[in-house]
Structure formats: structure tokens, C-alpha cells
């Protein structure tokens, strides 16, 4: 299973959708605190039906089954086959019926457990992603840089996935680690840079254009225009998010056409990765053919593609005194994301060991999570809309489950009857994760949207994205050190339980969304008054 749940496509998608909803960029003004609101160009091409469908189809294909789930299973399986049982000594097999359950591979001048190596690979992946998104993430908004950047990271991801055909023997586990990191990083980048295209599409649909004309002609009020335009954005957002989830289910079902009849074929896992990637290529290639040119503004004078991102982050950080609740939330979400992402990785390591790295079993478990994720996202949205429940209260419900997952894993330290030792527990985990953690991502983004100054969403969602991904460099490294010292995967759960609990309590009792929103609106108004 994946380091992040299958709902990650939706999560990242929503993150950037909201980040870009109000177009704002750093001004070329020398005062870095003065940030101008971009005017919307009326001469951008109208969105055609074909173009919109090519966008949806890319979302459908870019569902993460390969780079998130299967590649980690293949990598962990090869490393386990190549390693030896430290209790029995060098030359022994980790897969023998008498094996102790521990497994180490050569690492540096000594050895390291396979679980630690997987966690290190995740830590490296998140570190690279953090560097990419902070350095060139904002640059994708300027000129045609974003268009070519998306094409480049997509091709890299496809190539890394196809290259997994070479992963057929245990002695290639180091290559498997490299391809896993390459695929995971480029996949995460495709989600961010593809979602960044969303606002330009949303404001150029025929309906959005008609709304703008009516507003400019005085036929509708500013309030009606904002509400209607928001609904148009949500329509496209919801359809593309649904496509991502549908693609996840369809891909898993397609995989069964190989996994069931070819159960005894030693290369069936490699063939499955080729099938998954080909599905994405066939659906995703149309976007690069049918997209209309909508370049962003020119890079401000004196700026560079590799430095503009850091300047925006620095400008946002300098506002912390004026926006205390926004920054308390950012800090606590940093810890919460770290705890949740690392918990997902640790459970998937235990799951892969339990099911002997079976792609078939992971497909069944993935289907249970994908289907429940789709249902729960819609159900939580309906419940919130029907009873008009606040975002924070909905988020608190999902936080409770975030805490309970590592708590359940802790039980496994003292007994093998419970605590991710049984087959039924992994089924329950995937279903519960789908039901509660898919909405967690949606509500965490909405919380950030409510605490971001209007018109400066780009800048603050840059910090939010950074807290989401940079945090995942910390957890995996701490957990791998604990596992390395104790030789027990389950010893990592107490740290994760403490991390998730502390972060949740700060959010529940330390973040006043109403006051935070008022602070944000006041600060934004002051900034705009400076620019005029």
C-alpha cells in the first residue's frame, strides 16, 4: 500500500485548486510585503468540451496506483528476498518458515532493516519533493514554464514505471529503491503542477465567461457573481476529483485481469506495473495534445524561476504576528501530516509482510479503500451541507480516527492477537481509512482556505503544501531509528500516536477559525490599501 492514501490525488488536487482560486502573485514592487492582485485577461482561449474532457481523463489516469502502491510493494519484496535474518545470521532467508520476522540488508558499512530502508526511501522522496515545490512551484505560474514542467515530470514518471520491468531479481533491490523514489517524486509533482492549471480552465469555461460579462454589464451583483463563479469552479473540481477516484477503482479491477490468470508467473507484478502505466499514458496523453495555450504573466523584472518561490514563502512567513491562528494551524498541521503519512507507511510495511508482498491481496485491499473513499467523501460533504456543520467540527471527527490508528498499532507491541497482526485487521484498516481519512484531506484544505487572507491564497497555500510534505522528512527518519534499535516495527506506533494526539489537541483547542478568518480579512484589506 501507499505512503499516502489513494485519496492523495484528490487531496493534492484540492490543495492547489484552492491555492489558485484567487489569482495572486508577488508584485514586482521592491517592497516584498506589497503584493498586487493580478487582473484577469479576457483574451485567453475559451475552454472547449474536448479540452475539458482531456483534463478529466488525465485526472483519471493519474490515480497513483503504480507509483504509490505497487512500486513500494515490489521494492520491499525484492529487498526482503535479498536480505537475511539477523537472528539466524548471514546466508539465512527472511522468507523461511523458521525466520524470526526480522530482515536486514547491507547498508553503508553494516546492515539496516528492510523496514528502515523503506522509511528512508520515503524520507528522501519527501525531501526532494519539498525542494522542488519550494524552489520552482511558484515559477509554474509564470509564462509557459508550468506547461513544459508538467510534461517533463509526467514523462519521467512514466519512464520510471516502465523501467520497473527490469526489477525481476532480488539483487536489483537498490535499483528498485531508486525507481521507487523517482516514480514517487515525479508522481507527486504531476499532481501539484496539473492541479495548478485548474483556475485558468475554470475562469474560461463558456459559463464563467457569461457570468463575467453579466457582472461587467451590471446585470448581476458582485455577491451573485462570486457565488456563481465559485459553483462553476466546484463543478469542475468535483468532476475531476471523481475521475481520480473512478480511475483508481478501474485500474485495480483491470489489474485483476492479469493477477488472477497469471498467479504463478514470476513476472506478473512487473506486467501489472506496465498495464497501470499504459492506462495513464492512453488517458493522459490527450491533455498535452488538446490543451489551449494560456501562458501566465511574465516573470517580474529582476526575478528568476529558481528564487521566486522562496521569496513568496519568506513574504508569507513575515506575517505571523498579524495572523496567529493561521500559523498555529500551519504548525500543528505540520505535525499531524507527519504522523498520518508515517503511520500509513508503517501500516503498509506490516501489511506487505503479512501478505507476502502479494500484488493480488494489495489490489483487493486497495479496492476496499478506494470504494469507501469515494462514498465517504460524498457522504461527509452531504452531511456537512445538510446540517450546516462547521469545517472545524467535521475535521475534528476525522482527527479522532487519525489518533486511533496508531493507538491500535500500539496494542501489537504487547500481544499478537490484536494490533495489525491479523488479516482481518488490515481489511478493517483499509475500510476505516477510506471512510474517515479521505474526508480528512478535504477538510484540512478547507480549514486552510478559511484561515488564508483573501487574495493571497497562493502564498499561504505554498506554506500549507510545504508543511504537508516537509513534515514527512521527520517522521520516517525517527521511526526507522526506533525500528533499527528495537528490531520491532510496532515500536514505532507510540511515537506516532503521541505526535497525532498533540497536533490534534492544538488544532481543537488552539485554533479559533472565526477570529483567524477575521484577522486574515483585515490583513488582506490593509495590504491591498498599500498597493493602491
Amino acid at each position: 500500500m501507499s505512503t499516502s492514501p489513494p485519496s492523495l490525488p484528490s487531496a493534492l488536487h484540492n490543495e492547489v485548486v484552492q491555492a489558485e482560486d484567487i489569482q495572486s502573485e508577488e508584485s514586482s514592487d521592491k517592497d516584498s510585503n506589497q503584493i498586487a492582485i493580478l487582473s484577469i485577461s479576457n483574451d485567453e482561449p475559451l475552454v472547449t468540451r474536448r479540452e475539458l474532457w482531456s483534463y478529466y481523463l488525465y485526472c483519471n489516469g493519474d490515480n497513483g496506483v503504480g507509483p504509490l502502491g505497487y512500486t513500494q510493494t515490489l521494492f520491499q519484496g525484492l529487498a526482503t528476498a535479498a536480505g537475511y535474518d539477523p537472528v539466524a545470521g548471514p546466508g539465512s532467508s527472511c522468507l523461511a518458515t523458521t525466520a524470526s520476522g526480522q530482515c536486514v540488508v547491507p547498508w553503508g558499512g553494516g546492515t539496516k532493516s528492510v523496514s528502515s530502508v523503506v522509511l528512508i526511501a520515503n524520507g528522501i522522496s519527501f525531501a526532494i519533493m519539498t525542494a522542488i515545490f519550494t524552489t520552482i512551484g511558484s515559477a509554474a505560474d509564470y509564462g509557459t514554464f508550468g506547461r513544459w514542467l508538467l510534461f517533463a515530470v509526467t514523462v519521467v514518471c512514466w519512464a520510471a514505471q516502465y523501467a520497473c520491468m527490469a526489477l525481476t531479481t532480488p539483487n536489483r533491490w537498490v535499483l528498485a529503491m531508486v525507481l521507487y523514489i523517482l516514480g514517487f517524486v515525479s508522481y507527486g509533482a504531476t499532481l501539484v503542477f496539473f492541479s495548478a492549471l485548474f483556475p485558468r480552465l475554470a475562469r474560461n469555461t463558456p459559463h464563467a465567461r457569461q457570468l463575467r460579462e453579466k457582472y461587467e454589464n451590471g446585470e448581476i451583483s458582485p455577491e451573485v457573481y462570486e457565488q456563481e463563479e465559485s459553483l462553476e469552479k466546484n463543478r469542475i473540481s468535483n468532476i475531476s476529483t471523481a475521475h481520480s477516484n473512478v480511475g483508481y477503482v478501474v485500474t485495480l479491477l483491470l489489474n485483476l485481469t492479469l493477477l488472477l490468470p497469471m498467479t504463478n508467473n514470476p513476472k506478473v507484478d512487473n506486467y501489472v506495473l506496465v498495464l497501470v502505466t499504459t492506462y495513464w499514458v492512453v488517458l493522459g496523453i490527450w491533455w498535452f495534445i488538446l490543451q489551449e495555450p494560456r501562458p501566465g504573466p511574465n516573470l517580474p523584472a529582476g526575478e528568476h524561476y529558481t528564487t521566486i518561490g522562496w521569496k513568496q514563502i519568506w513574504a508569507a512567513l513575515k506575517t505571523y504576528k498579524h495572523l496567529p491562528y493561521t500559523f498555529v494551524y500551519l504548525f500543528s498541521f505540520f505535525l499531524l501530516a507527519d504522523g498520518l503519512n508515517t503511520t500509513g507507511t508503517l501500516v503498509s510495511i506490516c501489511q506487505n509482510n503479512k501478505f507476502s508482498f502479494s500484488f493480488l491481496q494489495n489490489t483487493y485491499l486497495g479496492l476496499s479503500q478506494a470504494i469507501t473513499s469515494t462514498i465517504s467523501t460524498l457522504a461527509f460533504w452531504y452531511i456537512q451541507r445538510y446540517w450546516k456543520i462547521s469545517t472545524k467540527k467535521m475535521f475534528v471527527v476525522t482527527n479522532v480516527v487519525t489518533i486511533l490508528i496508531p493507538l491500535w498499532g500500539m496494542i501489537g507491541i504487547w500481544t499478537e492477537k490484536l494490533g495489525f497482526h491479523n488479516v482481518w485487521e488490515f481489511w478493517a484498516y483499509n475500510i476505516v481509512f477510506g471512510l474517515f481519512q479521505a474526508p480528512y484531506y478535504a477538510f484540512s484544505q478547507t480549514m486552510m482556505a478559511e484561515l488564508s487572507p483573501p487574495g493571497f491564497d497562493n502564498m499561504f497555500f505554498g506554506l500549507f503544501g510545504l508543511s504537508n510534505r516537509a513534515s514527512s522528512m521527520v517522521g520516517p527518519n525517527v521511526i526507522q531509528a526506533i525500528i533499527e534499535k528495537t528490531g520491532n516495527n510496532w515500536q514505532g506506533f507510540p511515537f506516532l500516536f503521541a505526535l497525532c494526539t498533540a497536533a490534534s489537541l492544538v488544532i481543537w483547542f488552539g485554533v479559533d477559525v472565526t477570529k483567524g478568518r477575521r484577522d486574515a480579512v483585515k490583513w488582506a484589506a490593509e495590504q491591498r490599501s498599500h498597493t493602491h
Side-chain angles (χ1 to χ4, degrees):
M1 291 306 296
S2 59
T3 55
S4 307
S7 52
L8 183 62
S10 312
L12 278 176
H13 175 84
N14 290 337
E15 174 181 325
V16 185
V17 163
Q18 289 166 328
E20 300 274 351
D21 264 357
I22 304 174
Q23 295 76 38
S24 64
E25 297 297 351
E26 193 166 324
S27 168
S28 54
D29 193 307
K30 288 179 182 175
D31 181 353
S32 63
N33 285 324
Q34 304 301 312
I35 298 159
I37 307 301
L38 279 179
S39 59
I40 296 171
S41 169
N42 285 316
D43 57 4
E44 292 181 342
L46 200 65
V47 174
T48 63
R49 190 177 180 82
R50 284 194 317 171
E51 185 184 18
L52 198 54
W53 265 100
S54 70
Y55 180 84
Y56 293 151
L57 288 175
Y58 187 101
C59 290
N60 191 308
D62 191 15
N63 53 58
V65 170
L68 284 182
Y70 289 152
T71 318
Q72 182 190 321
T73 303
L74 191 59
F75 156 40
Q76 191 182 337
L78 290 177
T80 302
Y84 66 88
D85 183 345
V87 176
S92 60
S93 170
C94 298
L95 303 173
T97 51
T98 55
S100 67
Q102 296 181 49
C103 190
V104 296
V105 288
W107 187 271
T111 61
K112 201 170 269 291
S113 73
V114 171
S115 299
S116 294
V117 171
V118 173
L119 286 160
I120 287 168
N122 280 296
I124 292 169
S125 298
F126 281 109
I128 297 169
M129 273 193 250
T130 301
I132 290 172
F133 300 143
T134 50
T135 305
I136 57 175
S138 299
D141 290 333
Y142 296 98
T144 58
F145 187 68
R147 179 178 186 145
W148 294 107
L149 191 59
L150 175 66
F151 182 69
V153 292
T154 302
V155 171
V156 167
C157 195
W158 289 346
Q161 294 293 285
Y162 280 130
C164 289
M165 265 311 293
L167 305 177
T168 51
T169 55
N171 63 355
R172 294 181 181 169
W173 71 267
V174 176
L175 176 62
M177 181 176 180
V178 171
L179 289 175
Y180 169 63
I181 291 170
L182 200 58
F184 189 32
V185 168
S186 54
Y187 166 70
T190 65
L191 293 175
V192 171
F193 298 132
F194 187 70
S195 297
L197 301 163
F198 171 82
R200 285 177 193 151
L201 277 182
R203 69 171 179 253
N204 286 295
T205 63
H207 182 59
R209 286 283 185 88
Q210 287 169 4
L211 283 171
R212 198 178 312 141
E213 282 179 21
K214 286 183 179 179
Y215 169 65
E216 287 170 354
N217 294 333
E219 295 173 36
I220 55 174
S221 66
E223 292 76 20
V224 171
Y225 171 67
E226 283 178 4
Q227 186 180 35
E228 289 294 321
E229 193 195 39
S230 175
L231 287 172
E232 177 70 351
K233 286 175 180 172
N234 278 308
R235 180 181 72 86
I236 296 172
S237 173
N238 287 331
I239 293 172
S240 57
T241 301
H243 264 287
S244 183
N245 284 315
V246 168
Y248 194 81
V249 175
V250 170
T251 307
L252 291 172
L253 290 173
L254 268 178
N255 293 342
L256 294 178
T257 64
L258 287 180
L259 289 166
L260 292 174
M262 300 175 71
T263 306
N264 298 319
N265 189 314
K267 291 187 178 178
V268 66
D269 293 352
N270 308 81
Y271 296 147
V272 164
L273 273 165
V274 169
L275 177 64
V276 167
T277 310
T278 304
Y279 178 82
W280 181 10
V281 173
V282 170
L283 267 63
I285 196 71
W286 297 104
W287 171 251
F288 300 109
I289 297 168
L290 298 174
Q291 67 170 317
E292 295 285 347
R294 294 187 188 87
N298 293 326
L299 203 64
E303 297 294 352
H304 194 270
Y305 283 113
T306 55
T307 56
I308 187 85
W310 287 102
K311 287 188 177 181
Q312 288 194 333
I313 289 168
W314 178 241
L317 284 172
K318 287 197 285 190
T319 66
Y320 75 95
K321 287 181 183 175
H322 306 284
L323 307 167
Y325 294 112
T326 305
F327 280 88
V328 167
Y329 177 67
L330 278 167
F331 174 72
S332 44
F333 185 76
F334 177 97
L335 299 178
L336 190 63
D338 191 9
L340 180 68
N341 290 342
T342 312
T343 299
T345 305
L346 191 53
V347 174
S348 71
I349 288 169
C350 298
Q351 180 176 300
N352 283 332
N353 286 327
K354 184 68 182 176
F355 292 101
S356 305
F357 316 103
S358 165
F359 271 37
L360 182 60
Q361 286 299 326
N362 277 350
T363 299
Y364 290 143
L365 290 162
L367 274 168
S368 70
Q369 191 178 128
I371 292 166
T372 49
S373 288
T374 309
I375 294 167
S376 71
T377 304
L378 296 171
F380 268 74
W381 181 63
Y382 176 81
I383 290 166
Q384 184 184 26
R385 193 179 55 168
Y386 187 83
W387 277 287
K388 295 184 169 46
I389 303 169
S390 74
T391 302
K392 184 177 173 180
K393 285 177 182 172
M394 299 297 284
F395 191 41
V396 165
V397 172
T398 67
N399 287 167
V400 172
V401 178
T402 307
I403 293 169
L404 291 178
I405 292 170
L407 179 63
W408 187 266
M410 276 171 63
I411 299 170
I413 297 172
W414 302 289
T415 175
E416 292 202 0
K417 291 181 180 177
L418 290 175
F420 298 123
H421 288 289
N422 306 292
V423 169
W424 69 265
E425 288 178 291
F426 292 103
W427 279 101
Y429 163 76
N430 279 279
I431 290 167
V432 168
F433 203 105
L435 287 174
F436 290 95
Q437 294 312 120
Y440 153 91
Y441 284 96
F443 293 125
S444 68
Q445 320 302 334
T446 311
M447 281 273 286
M448 189 64 219
E450 294 198 14
L451 292 166
S452 294
F456 299 85
D457 303 61
N458 249 353
M459 190 164 76
F460 283 87
F461 267 84
L463 286 177
F464 185 63
L466 183 59
S467 72
N468 193 0
R469 274 171 288 275
S471 65
S472 299
M473 292 187 291
V474 181
N477 288 313
V478 173
I479 299 302
Q480 71 89 11
I482 292 170
I483 292 173
E484 201 59 34
K485 189 175 180 181
T486 61
N488 185 333
N489 289 345
W490 282 262
Q491 292 287 351
F493 284 114
F495 172 77
L496 296 170
F497 171 68
L499 199 61
C500 291
T501 304
S504 296
L505 289 171
V506 173
I507 290 172
W508 299 352
F509 301 108
V511 178
D512 187 324
V513 177
T514 306
K515 284 184 181 176
R517 193 191 300 117
R518 285 176 189 161
D519 289 344
V521 170
K522 181 183 175 187
W523 181 85
E526 287 171 356
Q527 292 302 305
R528 272 193 288 271
S529 68
H530 289 316
T531 61
H532 296 300

